[in-house]
Amino acid sequence: MLSYLSQAGPLHPKHGGGTAFDQRCQTTNSLPPLHPTLAFVIHYSIAIPSTFFVHDSFFPYQDQENELTLSRQNFPSKFLGVYTLILFTTRYLSSYYAGRLRHHSVLYELTWLCNSTLVMGGITFSEYSTGWFFRRRPLVATACCVAVSIDQILWYVDLVVWGVTGKFPVGVMKYLTWKQTLWIDRCTCTHHLWTIPLMLYGANAPLAWDSFHLSVYVVFIHVLLSRWLTPPSVYSGGGKKSNPQQYRYLNVN
């Protein structure tokens, strides 16, 4: 079982790679692909609870029960929950009409740190603080902000310079201009611009050194799980790597 779960490289059929199938064909199997589904479930089943455990074990918990803080956290929690549900659902359903390779790779892509930050933000600001899992942990949210900060700050750089010059100096946003990029990907990419401001608003506190310390584990566990479960890329073995129906880069975490 562990051997099957471990990623086996870009060309392995369990990842959607190889030339055994026409990558241009729409997916006809109504069932989700097995390995990407297992990788998705295992990734979130380990990454989120273990981050909460590290938080509770090594960082002092400050109960924020004043009315202002609680009201500030309720909106981000609900908004992140709805937005994340829409993002995950629409991207997965759209993959059925984008070829075998996309159908497999989309579940790996949903484990990227920018996406799991949305999930953890929705949970850690949740008003349903009735158990261990849904306990309010604003430090986890700010730690996730630190973990994704380099990538998401570069989105601002690309956006501003593109607005002035029409060019992307860094290139983190460039994929949005490719004709192969699905419209649903364009519509569900805005979180790269507002995740950090929204999470900091909900935390109602400045970034503390503990946020940086906890972010080390957040990055570590995502990198570890991705190296184990997710191939660095998925490739059909034929055609140009510039064609997303033939090649998708996944080594983001």
Side-chain angles (χ1 to χ4, degrees):
M1 184 63 177
L2 288 177
S3 175
Y4 178 76
L5 289 175
S6 301
Q7 63 92 2
L11 294 171
H12 201 284
K14 70 181 180 183
H15 304 309
T19 56
F21 300 89
D22 184 351
Q23 301 287 345
R24 297 169 298 177
C25 293
Q26 293 184 357
T27 300
T28 57
N29 188 358
S30 60
L31 297 176
L34 180 58
H35 186 273
T37 301
L38 291 174
F40 176 87
V41 172
I42 292 172
H43 185 103
Y44 277 100
S45 297
I46 295 176
I48 296 180
S50 68
T51 299
F52 293 170
F53 176 79
V54 170
H55 170 276
D56 294 353
S57 299
F58 297 100
F59 298 92
Y61 178 70
Q62 297 180 350
D63 198 6
Q64 297 178 320
E65 294 296 339
N66 67 80
E67 186 176 347
L68 175 61
T69 298
L70 294 180
S71 62
R72 287 173 70 100
Q73 291 177 359
N74 285 339
F75 168 73
S77 175
K78 294 175 181 178
F79 180 82
L80 287 168
V82 172
Y83 177 85
T84 304
L85 179 62
I86 293 173
L87 186 154
F88 280 30
T89 302
T90 55
R91 287 199 178 185
Y92 178 73
L93 292 178
S94 68
S95 71
Y96 276 92
Y97 304 95
R100 169 185 165 83
L101 189 146
R102 160 76 177 191
H103 186 52
H104 281 68
S105 64
V106 68
L107 288 171
Y108 297 127
E109 294 170 358
L110 292 177
T111 65
W112 289 349
L113 185 52
C114 58
N115 295 320
S116 65
T117 292
L118 299 173
V119 178
M120 284 196 279
I123 295 173
T124 57
F125 288 145
S126 174
E127 64 180 316
Y128 303 106
S129 304
T130 56
W132 177 83
F133 190 74
F134 287 99
R135 180 180 174 185
R136 292 181 189 266
R137 297 177 176 91
L139 181 63
V140 172
T142 56
C144 289
C145 288
V146 174
V148 299
S149 60
I150 294 178
D151 172 71
Q152 298 198 357
I153 288 174
L154 291 177
W155 270 69
Y156 287 105
V157 175
D158 261 4
L159 181 63
V160 172
V161 176
W162 173 79
V164 176
T165 68
K167 297 180 180 180
F168 298 104
V170 181
V172 293
M173 290 183 62
K174 191 174 183 179
Y175 76 95
L176 297 177
T177 65
W178 298 345
K179 64 180 181 180
Q180 304 98 325
T181 301
L182 298 180
W183 66 269
I184 197 63
D185 290 349
R186 295 189 177 100
C187 294
T188 55
C189 74
T190 61
H191 60 276
H192 292 95
L193 297 172
W194 51 255
T195 296
I196 293 178
L198 181 65
M199 301 273 261
L200 294 179
Y201 168 83
N204 194 27
L207 284 176
W209 280 113
D210 281 348
S211 300
F212 291 86
H213 297 154
L214 183 56
S215 73
V216 173
Y217 179 78
V218 173
V219 173
F220 167 77
I221 191 61
H222 280 77
V223 170
L224 181 66
L225 290 170
S226 293
R227 294 300 174 273
W228 172 36
L229 300 167
T230 304
S233 61
V234 180
Y235 183 41
S236 68
K240 297 181 179 180
K241 289 188 176 181
S242 59
N243 184 350
Q245 291 184 331
Q246 303 294 334
Y247 176 84
R248 293 190 75 88
Y249 182 72
L250 300 174
N251 192 22
V252 171
N253 278 340

